[in-house]
Amino acid sequence: MKILVLGGAGYIGSHTVYRLIEQGHSVVVFDNLETGHIEAVHPDAKFYKGDLRNREDIDNVLDNEKDIDAVIHFAANSLVGESMTNPLKYYDNNLNGTKVLLQSLVAHNIDKVVFSSTAATYGEPERTPILETDPTNPTNCYGETKKSMERMFYWVEKAHNLHYVSLRYFNACGAHISGEIGEAHSPETHLIPIILQTATGKRDHISIFGTDYNTKDGTCVRDYIHVTDLAQAHILAVQYLVNGGKSDIFNLGNGVGFTVKEVIEKAKEVTGKDIKVVEEGRRAGDPAVLIASSDKAKKVLGWCPEYDSLDTIISTAWKWHSTHPNGYSK
Ligand code: UFG
C-alpha cells in the first residue's frame, strides 16, 4: 500500500512509519516539525514539510503523490495542560487543520482516513473498563477537540462518502525495539519519560501527583499501551478500510491498569537506578482510573498487542532514553 502519514515525525507517527516500512509499504510523511523531529522520520519515507492549516501545503502533496491508498492522521497538539491555558491553539491546529485536510481529501477523491483520538474524549469514566459506547464528556479542551474531530468525520462521511477509523488511545508509551526512535517531547509531561529522565540524571526527581486517590496505593491508575502496538493497530485499521470495513471508533489499551507507584517500582527494577520520588498534591483534571476495553479492536481489526507487559514497555523506553538522554538533540 501507499500511505500518507500526517504528523509522521512525531512520537506515535514515527513509530507507525517504521512499522509500515518494515512491512513493505510505501510511505509519504507530511509534518510541520513543530513538535516532530526530522531525525525520527524513517530514511525510506518521502518527506514533505508543511502545515495542515495551509491548504496549498497539503494540496501540493496530493497533487504530486498519486495512488495514495489511505491517510493516517496524527498531526495535532496533544498536551492536556496546554489545551486548558491555550484552547484556541487546539481549536486552530486540531480542528481547523483537520477541516482543511478534509477539504483537500474530498477534492482529491481520497476516501480512507485513520486518525488519532484519545481516551480523553471520555472524561471521568462512569465505569472501567471503558467501552466505545460509553458517554464522552471531556474534562479538557484537548479531549474536546478530538471528540469534535470524530464528529467532523461523521458528518463528512455522510456528505462525501469518506470512510474513517478513529482510534482512541489510552497511555501511549515505550519505544521502537531498536532504540533508534522514541518519545521526545518538549516540555515533557508524561510519566514514564519523566521517570526515566530521572534515572539518567537529567532530572532530580519524579513528582507523584496525588497519593489520596481511591486506588490500591492512592495513586492514579492508567492503561499503558506500547507505541509499536498502537502503530500496528493503525495498519490493521487501514487494511480494514481497504477491505471495505465501515467507519468506526476503537479503543486501544491493554485492559490492565498500573498505579503511578507501580510504574516507578518497575522502572527502578528495569534500570537498576535509585529514582528519587517526591509526593505532591493532585494535578488538575486527572481521573483516578482509566482502563480501556479493547475487545472491539481485537475482534473487528484482529489486533493483538505484542509488547503488553510493563517490563517490555519500560525496557524499550529505557533503551531509547539511556542512549538518547537529550532526545533527538545532539
Ligand atoms: N504523573 C505523575 N507525575 C508526573 C507525570 C504524571 O504523577 O510527573 C501521573 C499523572 O498524574 C497521571 C499518570 O501519571 O496519573 C499518567 O500521566 P501522563 O501525563 O503520563 O498521562 P495522562 O494519563 O495524563 O494523559 C495521557 C495522554 C493524554 C491522553 C490521556 C488519555 O498524555 O494525551 O492519556 O488517558 F489524553
Side-chain angles (χ1 to χ4, degrees), residues 22-303:
E22 285 157 10
Q23 294 179 4
H25 301 293
S26 157
V27 180
V28 178
V29 170
F30 176 90
D31 200 299
N32 67 3
L33 299 180
E34 181 191 306
T35 54
H37 306 272
I38 191 67
E39 299 85 350
V41 177
H42 194 289
D44 294 344
K46 185 161 177 192
F47 179 71
Y48 288 82
K49 185 168 185 218
D51 192 304
L52 267 192
R53 291 162 289 191
N54 296 333
R55 175 77 189 262
E56 52 281 16
D57 287 2
I58 185 66
D59 276 350
N60 173 46
V61 177
L62 297 177
D63 290 342
N64 277 339
E65 301 295 336
K66 304 296 175 207
D67 308 322
I68 287 177
D69 292 292
V71 174
I72 308 182
H73 175 27
F74 297 100
N77 292 113
S78 63
L79 297 179
V80 169
E82 183 189 52
S83 79
M84 300 301 280
T85 53
N86 196 355
L88 295 176
K89 175 175 177 178
Y90 282 71
Y91 276 89
D92 181 41
N93 195 23
N94 298 3
L95 281 178
N96 182 32
T98 299
K99 179 205 76 179
V100 175
L101 167 67
L102 285 168
Q103 288 169 328
S104 183
L105 293 179
V106 168
H108 288 84
N109 295 313
I110 293 176
D111 65 355
K112 295 175 193 69
V113 185
V114 173
F115 68 94
S116 314
S117 185
T118 170
T121 53
Y122 294 108
E124 187 75 51
E126 287 171 9
R127 58 169 180 180
T128 57
I130 303 170
L131 291 172
E132 290 84 351
T133 45
D134 285 351
T136 48
N137 297 306
T139 51
N140 56 64
C141 182
Y142 164 62
E144 184 72 36
T145 59
K146 289 288 177 171
K147 179 180 168 179
S148 301
M149 262 173 73
E150 292 183 347
R151 298 306 292 164
M152 198 187 300
F153 275 91
Y154 173 84
W155 292 110
V156 169
E157 173 170 49
K158 293 201 178 305
H160 301 290
N161 211 26
L162 182 147
H163 307 295
Y164 66 91
V165 165
S166 170
L167 299 174
R168 291 180 179 162
Y169 318 148
F170 282 63
N171 288 62
C173 52
H176 192 271
I177 195 101
S178 65
E180 282 172 27
I181 54 170
E183 193 165 7
H185 299 113
S186 184
E188 187 53 78
T189 60
H190 297 98
L191 180 67
I192 293 177
I194 291 178
I195 296 173
L196 297 180
Q197 286 174 351
T198 309
T200 64
K202 199 173 154 64
R203 288 175 192 262
D204 172 66
H205 65 273
I206 169 79
S207 300
I208 298 184
F209 298 140
T211 52
D212 59 348
Y213 286 97
N214 186 19
T215 59
K216 63 180 167 185
D217 61 20
T219 65
C220 288
V221 172
R222 291 290 181 273
D223 185 333
Y224 294 92
I225 170 82
H226 196 281
V227 65
T228 300
D229 286 330
L230 284 182
Q232 184 59 20
H234 290 76
I235 300 172
L236 292 169
V238 167
Q239 283 161 346
Y240 162 84
L241 288 177
V242 168
N243 292 336
K246 69 175 177 57
S247 297
D248 213 338
I249 296 174
F250 299 92
N251 285 340
L252 296 176
N254 277 322
V256 179
F258 295 100
T259 67
V260 172
K261 284 186 175 172
E262 284 172 333
V263 175
I264 294 171
E265 284 313 308
K266 178 55 80 176
K268 285 183 183 167
E269 187 189 310
V270 167
T271 63
K273 306 276 184 190
D274 187 27
I275 297 168
K276 185 176 165 192
V277 174
V278 174
E279 297 190 356
E280 293 186 16
R282 293 183 178 197
R283 187 172 70 174
D286 274 344
V289 180
L290 283 175
I291 300 174
S293 164
S294 301
D295 291 351
K296 184 174 164 187
K298 290 178 181 160
K299 191 164 159 235
V300 179
L301 302 179
W303 183 57

